[in-house]
Amino acid sequence: MTMHDGRVDILLATHNGAHFLDDIVVSIVAQRYPSFAILVRDDGSVDSTLNRLASLCQAFPDRIRVVERDVRSRGPVQSYARLLDQSTADYVMLCDQDDVWLESKIERSMRRMRQLEAAYGKQTPILVHSDLKVVDERLVPICDSFVASQG
């Protein structure tokens, strides 16, 4: 088994986030880990989110798929639950619509996942959580560590 074995579904719940979508999708598509897809569920957006998603699906047809669109907002918990139900991948990663991922995020997360699977077995539920950089609306860093900024 190589580092790149195991498909990853990136689960992205959207709600009125049109102005974030280009940044997050482009940052995910630029990942060094090759085996992934982005599954999107829109939660009743009334802005141009659906139009942006349609354009992004056309631009990256092998990478992004809208799996459900609901005219009634169900909230983030139900959105991610429904996305989890749709995923058939070996691994999943959750993504917020205002995230921007470093190009090594999937690769580094999967490396840690493999280490934990080797130690505890593949049948043991495992969660890998990463820190994040805090940035402003122009992606200028405010703090290199969210954990550190929260004390």
Side-chain angles (χ1 to χ4, degrees):
M1 185 174 281
T2 70
M3 174 59 209
H4 295 296
D5 286 340
R7 196 180 96 225
V8 177
D9 277 346
I10 312 302
L11 309 183
L12 173 60
T14 60
H15 179 76
N16 294 336
H19 60 282
F20 298 116
L21 291 177
D22 289 348
D23 287 339
I24 184 52
V25 169
V26 168
S27 75
I28 294 173
V29 169
Q31 293 295 301
R32 292 191 293 228
Y33 190 90
S35 184
F36 69 88
I38 306 166
L39 303 183
V40 183
R41 179 190 182 278
D42 185 69
D43 194 34
S45 291
V46 295
D47 68 352
S48 61
T49 295
L50 294 173
N51 290 337
R52 282 305 317 132
L53 286 172
S55 295
L56 290 164
C57 286
Q58 280 190 318
F60 306 107
D62 297 331
R63 289 292 188 197
I64 185 170
R65 179 170 57 102
V66 176
V67 297
E68 183 177 272
R69 198 254 184 226
D70 202 332
V71 294
R72 189 184 77 185
S73 179
R74 297 180 186 273
V77 172
Q78 284 298 312
S79 287
Y80 284 107
R82 293 172 83 88
L83 282 163
L84 283 166
D85 287 342
Q86 295 288 322
S87 177
T88 59
D90 302 310
Y91 302 91
V92 296
M93 296 179 75
L94 305 183
C95 179
D96 289 335
Q97 67 184 5
D98 63 345
D99 286 354
V100 175
W101 287 12
L102 299 176
E103 67 184 10
S104 62
K105 180 175 177 68
I106 299 174
E107 187 176 64
R108 292 176 71 188
S109 296
M110 289 303 297
R111 183 178 305 116
R112 182 64 177 140
M113 181 68 71
R114 299 281 190 227
Q115 291 169 346
L116 293 169
E117 286 177 343
Y120 298 104
K122 280 193 108 175
Q123 300 308 312
T124 301
I126 297 172
L127 171 68
V128 172
H129 186 276
S130 61
D131 197 358
L132 58 95
K133 293 182 181 187
V134 181
V135 298
D136 67 14
E137 64 278 354
R138 293 179 312 273
L139 301 178
V140 175
I142 296 170
C143 184
D144 283 339
S145 168
F146 180 73
V147 173
S149 73
Q150 297 300 301

